[in-house]
Amino acid sequence: MELAIIVVNYRTADLTIECLAALLDDPTLPADTHIMVVDGASGDDSVPVLTAEIETRDLQRRISLLPLAINGGFAYANNRGIEAIGSTYGKPEFYLLLNPDTVARPGAVARLLEFLKTDPAIGIAGSRLEDPDGTPQACAFRFLSVASEFEAEIKTGLVSNLLSRWRVVPPDLPEEPSRVGWVSGACMLVRRDVFEAVGLMDEEYFLYYEELDFCLRAARANWQCWHVPQSRVIHFVGQSTGVSRREGKKARRPSYWFESRKRYFTKNHGRRYAFMANLAWIAGYMGWRVRQILTGRKNEDPPHLLRDFVRHNFFFGRP
């Protein structure tokens, strides 16, 4: 088997069905591709709805459903899917990790595969993620640093220009494939050899930062990561995680975001560097808040963001 696709569902059965339909309708998808849908203990009607969809359309040979007993997070669910594929169908050459809130445009997966095959040093490749109208989304990035934490929060053109080489989101990605630090886990193709070299995704991350951590581990093992804009995938941002505004109110940033960020910096760069990154984040954010107040701008940040950040990183408390 050349390719296996892992789709993690959590209370998004309708989106998952739409995602699967786009894959199955694509004539360029390798014929022997198997899709593993992993349900992260949704606790709703996701499993019976997905089971009925697979059975009604007689897709058992192409799609398997793996219901999990616990919701262990994104990395946990993907890892269980990778293991299930290997034990049941054998290890494919490539794994595509795909969010359920995506719709792959025709040829998107084939273009990623074709690109990875051009060079055995390329271990990871990501698609161009875009809105339904084709507007590109941020999906290819540089690795995080102390400087990037400050730049991302202060949000001023002058500072961004001075720190342009450290900006996590490059201002202009070329129209041709480009080498990057890491790509969005919403659509990420991984060579099997990468998993065998660095291991599966770190399950200590519940959600957020897990693909960043994985790509950094791969980079340290000399695997290249590329952004392939010719592979285009629609991404309905936030629909698979449920992180969105409810009843017109801004959602508080979830605690697992702070925990994942803290783990990333501490694990990969040490406590001292993590402390400096935290100070840079706070300095940038405070500068941004002062600008908001002085200019009368409306505060669009999540509620209690600074307080939650300080609690998680300095007092080990949860909001």
Side-chain angles (χ1 to χ4, degrees), residues 4-317:
I5 302 176
I6 314 295
V7 179
V8 176
N9 172 78
Y10 182 74
R11 300 181 178 180
T12 54
D14 290 343
L15 286 173
T16 299
I17 289 172
E18 186 177 1
C19 171
L20 297 175
L23 294 171
L24 296 174
D25 291 342
D26 186 350
T28 67
L29 193 72
D32 64 343
T33 299
H34 194 82
I35 304 171
M36 177 69 69
V37 179
V38 182
D39 182 75
S42 292
D44 61 0
D45 62 352
S46 287
V47 171
V49 167
L50 293 170
T51 299
E53 178 71 12
I54 293 170
E55 293 179 350
T56 300
R57 296 188 59 188
D58 194 25
L59 298 172
Q60 293 91 332
R61 291 185 179 180
R62 303 193 67 183
I63 302 176
S64 299
L65 177 61
L66 177 64
L68 300 180
I70 62 170
N71 177 19
F74 182 76
Y76 176 87
N78 273 293
N79 289 349
R80 300 294 82 76
I82 291 169
E83 292 169 349
I85 285 284
S87 63
T88 306
Y89 303 99
K91 295 181 179 181
E93 187 177 354
F94 302 98
Y95 295 89
L96 178 67
L97 309 185
L98 188 65
N99 270 20
D101 58 356
T102 60
V103 174
R105 296 192 187 274
V109 177
R111 291 186 180 97
L112 280 184
L113 280 170
E114 290 167 3
F115 184 78
L116 253 72
K117 292 176 183 178
T118 63
D119 188 342
I122 302 173
I124 302 170
S127 300
R128 165 186 155 128
L129 302 181
E130 56 189 31
D131 298 336
D133 65 0
T135 302
Q137 300 171 4
C139 56
F141 313 94
R142 299 185 179 113
F143 289 119
L144 276 58
S145 65
V146 170
S148 73
E149 290 295 278
F150 179 75
E151 184 278 328
E153 294 306 317
I154 200 166
K155 303 180 181 74
T156 65
L158 176 61
V159 173
S160 292
N161 289 335
L162 291 173
L163 301 177
S164 59
R165 61 180 294 189
W166 291 283
R167 288 181 65 181
V168 172
V169 182
D172 294 300
L173 285 171
E175 292 298 320
E176 295 302 315
S178 56
R179 188 173 177 180
V180 296
W182 59 288
V183 293
S184 170
C187 183
M188 183 169 71
L189 184 66
V190 184
R191 194 183 295 271
R192 180 189 67 211
D193 294 345
V194 178
F195 284 121
E196 293 181 347
V198 306
L200 298 179
M201 301 179 79
D202 185 347
E203 297 176 17
E204 292 299 315
Y205 296 96
F206 181 78
L207 189 63
Y208 299 116
Y209 289 84
E210 61 280 294
E211 73 266 53
L212 166 57
D213 177 273
F214 180 76
C215 289
L216 179 59
R217 287 159 50 203
R220 287 175 171 174
N222 298 316
W223 289 102
Q224 297 179 16
C225 179
W226 285 70
H227 169 61
V228 185
Q230 289 74 25
S231 171
R232 299 173 59 188
V233 173
I234 298 171
H235 183 212
F236 303 102
V237 180
Q239 296 299 307
S240 66
T241 63
V243 179
S244 59
R245 296 189 180 198
R246 298 178 181 178
E247 299 178 356
K249 297 180 180 179
K250 290 178 292 184
R252 196 167 180 173
R253 186 161 292 180
S255 60
Y256 47 76
W257 182 89
F258 299 98
E259 294 301 320
S260 292
R261 179 190 173 280
K262 179 167 62 176
R263 175 168 180 78
Y264 172 78
F265 276 109
T266 303
K267 170 188 174 182
N268 292 299
H269 300 290
R271 293 185 181 275
R272 181 177 298 179
Y273 194 92
F275 180 76
M276 295 301 295
N278 291 339
L279 293 183
W281 190 99
I282 292 172
Y285 183 77
M286 291 297 291
W288 166 240
R289 288 291 292 125
V290 169
R291 285 185 59 226
Q292 283 182 318
I293 295 170
L294 293 177
T295 59
R297 294 187 183 185
K298 184 179 179 181
N299 182 12
E300 296 290 345
D301 298 321
H304 313 298
L305 180 58
L306 179 60
R307 185 175 72 183
D308 289 347
F309 185 91
V310 171
R311 283 185 175 181
H312 277 274
N313 288 287
F314 296 99
F315 295 102
F316 308 101

